[in-house]
Amino acid sequence: YISNIRHETALLLETSISDNLQLLNMSNTNFKIELSTDPNNINESGIDSCEFFISTNMGETLRPLSKIASGGEISRIMLAIKMALQSVDLVSTLIFDEIDAGISGIAAEKVADALSNLSSSKQIICVTHLPQIAAKANHHLHISKLQKDGRTKVKIDYLKDEEKVQTIAQLFSGETITPGTLDSAKGLMGGARG
């Protein structure tokens, strides 16, 4: 009975995750949940074993997620999974470390929007280098490294409003912040919630 429910739920979850991957600009991705049932092999989770299979490029065959996805892809796949489980997931805080790896432009905007939507029910901590993602945050911490006493130290600053704009502008242009990059940062943050 539990095995039957798992198989039904796996199909629903697979569809939801696939839809979310489309939203995250992974349109050529094929995602599959494979449940194997062996009544003769009972373990602590029952008679079912589960594995995620994925193909991130058109024409490729499905292979185990653990063997083929890049770091950035794994982060976006995890985001798609968390989006699908948002209403039932007991975890209250999610940490995404450089979810922006290998993305830019439209994909970055879509990931930023997904993170913002997910933050309505979860606390999101996100390490990012993309202004599109950083601009959506309610709170910003700027992390930098410095050399002191012959050692590398990490410095964390909580940013106030104008510092947020400056830092996001710096993500656009590097050290030289121009009026254009300040306007771009303000424009991105104007669409953010705070």
Side-chain angles (χ1 to χ4, degrees), residues 1-14 35:
Y1 177 74
I2 291 175
S3 181
N4 292 339
I5 293 172
R6 284 179 176 163
H7 281 270
E8 292 169 12
T9 304
L11 290 174
L12 296 172
L13 183 59
E14 181 181 294
L35 275 180

Side-chain angles (χ1 to χ4, degrees), residues 8-24 26 29-33 52 76-88 114 118:
E8 292 169 12
T9 304
L11 290 174
L12 296 172
L13 183 59
E14 181 181 294
T15 300
S16 181
I17 292 169
S18 294
D19 291 347
N20 290 337
L21 289 169
Q22 301 299 310
L23 292 173
L24 295 172
M26 294 181 74
T29 300
N30 188 5
F31 181 83
K32 182 85 174 142
I33 297 175
F52 292 169
R76 282 188 283 164
I77 293 163
M78 180 56 69
L79 178 55
I81 292 168
K82 290 299 185 180
M83 290 165 62
L85 298 174
Q86 183 172 1
S87 64
V88 295
L118 191 57

Side-chain angles (χ1 to χ4, degrees), residues 13 47 57 61 63 71-72 80 89 99 107 146 149 151 172 177 182-183:
L13 183 59
I47 60 174
N57 296 303
T61 58
R63 296 193 331 219
D89 189 0
I99 196 167
L146 55 104
D149 301 326
R151 304 236 7 203
F172 276 115
I177 297 173
L182 279 173
D183 288 344

